[in-house]
Amino acid sequence: MNILWHIITDDIMEQLELTRYISEGQYTCSIVPPDISSIEKDKQICFIINVHASSFDVMSFLHAYSIIKAESSIEIIAYTSEMHDHQTIHAVKSIGIHHMCTKAQLISFLQSIGENRAEH
């Protein structure tokens, strides 16, 4: 799998923590996202975004993605570190983001990719 995982959060320690679970493809981290309209449409990228990052307007970024998602190979996994964050989860899903989860669910997902890869 030739995928680029791009972790976007303003918590540097969280960036380091999440990179430990990425076993497939390459990864980068940043505090702010790139201009989503300038990304090559055929490049396989999965953005992992902390919805509570304060270094940029997360909802505007997610909305911009929802406009171009049909014509690109970009996927987004949005996550929250807060427990019982139903209001944010609902807001993100209402924009059209299908992959919205808790941080624990994200870690479990990334670990399962590594486990599946080890089995094959």
Side-chain angles (χ1 to χ4, degrees):
M1 179 187 310
N2 189 18
I3 188 167
L4 172 64
W5 301 90
H6 190 97
I7 300 167
I8 306 170
T9 179
D10 49 8
D11 183 335
I12 303 300
M13 295 308 291
E14 196 165 77
Q15 288 178 359
L16 294 172
E17 176 188 5
L18 292 175
T19 59
R20 291 192 332 235
Y21 300 107
I22 296 175
S23 61
E24 181 73 27
Q26 302 172 332
Y27 66 85
T28 59
C29 301
S30 66
I31 294 174
V32 295
D35 177 7
I36 201 158
S37 63
S38 68
I39 296 171
E40 297 173 38
K41 304 277 189 270
D42 59 341
K43 200 170 202 177
Q44 282 192 300
I45 300 174
C46 182
F47 288 107
I48 299 174
I49 301 175
N50 180 341
V51 295
H52 294 292
S54 60
S55 54
F56 68 103
D57 184 349
V58 175
M59 291 306 192
S60 292
F61 178 79
L62 295 176
H63 181 70
Y65 164 75
S66 69
I67 294 170
I68 67 153
K69 71 180 174 184
E71 60 192 52
S72 73
S73 298
I74 299 169
E75 288 293 331
I76 288 189
I77 301 173
Y79 74 94
T80 177
S81 299
E82 297 180 12
M83 298 300 288
H84 310 293
D85 195 4
H86 303 293
Q87 182 177 357
T88 303
I89 291 170
H90 177 72
V92 169
K93 286 189 171 195
S94 71
I95 292 174
I97 304 302
H98 299 291
H99 309 296
M100 175 64 203
C101 58
T102 65
K103 183 178 170 186
Q105 290 170 325
L106 172 62
I107 289 171
S108 182
F109 169 70
L110 294 173
Q111 286 175 323
S112 72
I113 292 172
E115 290 167 2
N116 286 338
R117 185 171 186 238
E119 290 174 4
H120 297 283

